[in-house]
Amino acid sequence: VSGDGPIIVAAHAVAPREDYMTQWRSDLTWLADQCASDNVILAGDFNATIDHMSGLGVDGGTLGRCRDTTSASGNGGVGTWPTDIPAMLGAPIDHVMATPDWTVSGSIVMRTLDGSGSDHRPLVVQLERTAG
């Protein structure tokens, strides 16, 4: 209403299959570019772990200027995909990322919905506006 909220970007990068590697890298670069400005929150299926994003962060960010919120809150290694194996063996490819305008105060990878029909586990992340 006031125009003072964040830019929210819904992410879904193409899967890194052999025929789509160029597009996958391009998708990750595009997502990194979305974090070039202030006050940005990216969320969704990145089809990439933070290791895959190596070299795409700037100014201390994981992807562009955005930082991975689940890593910052101690849940970065919990697998979000696939749901048919234990979360500790899965790949953390779903993310909520935010520019330094936001501080993560908590996160959880929800494991109680594994049988609900999706092959991804939902993330719940609590963000607070950074003072300043």
Side-chain angles (χ1 to χ4, degrees):
V1 173
S2 69
D4 191 36
I7 296 168
I8 298 175
V9 179
H12 192 204
V14 69
R17 296 190 175 127
E18 187 175 351
D19 292 343
Y20 298 106
M21 292 304 290
T22 300
Q23 182 63 45
W24 175 69
R25 287 184 191 101
S26 175
D27 285 357
L28 292 179
T29 300
W30 185 88
L31 289 167
D33 290 345
Q34 304 316 297
C35 285
S37 62
D38 294 330
N39 205 10
V40 176
I41 298 171
L42 297 177
D45 178 1
F46 288 63
N47 273 312
T49 67
I50 59 172
D51 292 330
H52 295 125
M53 298 173 198
S54 177
L56 293 174
V58 297
D59 297 334
T62 307
L63 193 63
R65 294 182 61 242
C66 287
R67 292 168 175 85
D68 185 61
T69 60
T70 53
S71 294
S73 56
N75 288 309
V78 180
T80 58
W81 176 85
T83 57
D84 63 350
I85 64 172
M88 297 315 287
L89 299 176
I93 63 170
D94 300 281
H95 304 275
V96 175
M97 298 201 177
T99 55
D101 305 76
W102 297 93
T103 301
V104 62
S105 55
S107 72
I108 188 169
V109 177
M110 296 185 64
R111 301 175 207 165
T112 57
L113 299 172
D114 284 1
S116 67
S118 176
D119 61 344
H120 291 259
R121 292 182 179 92
L123 298 175
V124 177
V125 176
Q126 183 174 323
L127 296 169
E128 297 179 23
R129 197 73 186 257
T130 302

